[in-house]
Amino acid sequence: MSRTKARESALQIMFGLDFNAEEKDAIILTVFEDNELTKNEREYAKILAEGATENLAEIDRRIKNVSRSWQIGRMGAADRNIVRLAAYEMFFAEEKITPAIVINEAVELAKKYGADESGQFVNGILGAMTRMANESAEKTTG
């Protein structure tokens, strides 16, 4: 299974939902039809997109905490949804994946789907979110 392909498909689902949330099933079906995915890739893409959607309020709150100069609505749609998916995968998903891996994958998606500065932007936001989470964990255990 290629998690990269699954993440890319999850991004396409999130992007579609960002503009038309009522068409969730149709968007998922279209993304899956347009991409050659294995069953496991489809399942992982769906887990990511649904997980990010279910935790959207908390994910957006965390993004706001580290991006004071950028309102979520002003972020490019690709960047915004890449960060949301990566935040879900780092902080909410059952399977814990090293933040460095998730950030690297997110940056690669940003380079492919975002603007010229998207890779740096996504890296900065996710890096700040990771640092904030680590500081919070240290205070709790310290």
Side-chain angles (χ1 to χ4, degrees):
M1 170 177 83
S2 168
R3 294 220 169 176
T4 300
K5 284 177 67 173
R7 288 181 182 104
E8 189 169 345
S9 296
L11 171 61
Q12 292 169 357
I13 292 167
M14 291 293 294
F15 191 88
L17 293 175
D18 216 11
F19 294 100
N20 194 359
E22 293 82 34
E23 296 295 326
K24 177 184 171 189
D25 292 335
I27 290 167
I28 291 172
L29 183 63
T30 301
V31 169
F32 288 170
E33 286 177 352
D34 290 347
N35 296 296
E36 293 182 22
L37 302 172
T38 66
K39 180 182 177 190
N40 288 339
E41 289 165 344
R42 284 192 307 272
E43 287 174 7
Y44 196 65
K46 197 170 180 182
I47 286 169
L48 291 177
E50 288 179 350
T53 301
E54 289 168 7
N55 292 282
L56 194 59
E58 177 60 21
I59 289 169
D60 283 355
R61 186 189 68 74
R62 290 180 184 212
I63 294 169
K64 287 177 190 174
N65 285 341
V66 298
S67 66
R68 289 175 175 43
S69 60
W70 277 95
Q71 295 176 353
I72 291 174
R74 289 189 56 222
M75 293 177 187
D79 296 351
R80 174 176 55 242
N81 286 299
I82 291 167
V83 171
R84 285 172 169 168
L85 286 167
Y88 168 74
E89 201 168 11
M90 288 192 303
F91 303 116
F92 298 96
E94 285 184 32
E95 181 183 355
K96 296 303 172 202
I97 299 174
T98 307
I101 293 170
V102 176
I103 292 171
N104 183 59
E105 289 279 324
V107 168
E108 291 304 314
L109 281 174
K111 288 177 182 177
K112 185 172 182 177
Y113 289 99
D116 291 341
E117 306 292 323
S118 292
Q120 292 174 327
F121 177 77
V122 166
N123 187 52
I125 295 290
L126 294 174
M129 289 175 79
T130 302
R131 283 189 299 280
M132 185 176 279
N134 289 341
E135 290 168 4
S136 202
E138 288 174 9
K139 287 178 184 175
T140 309
T141 59

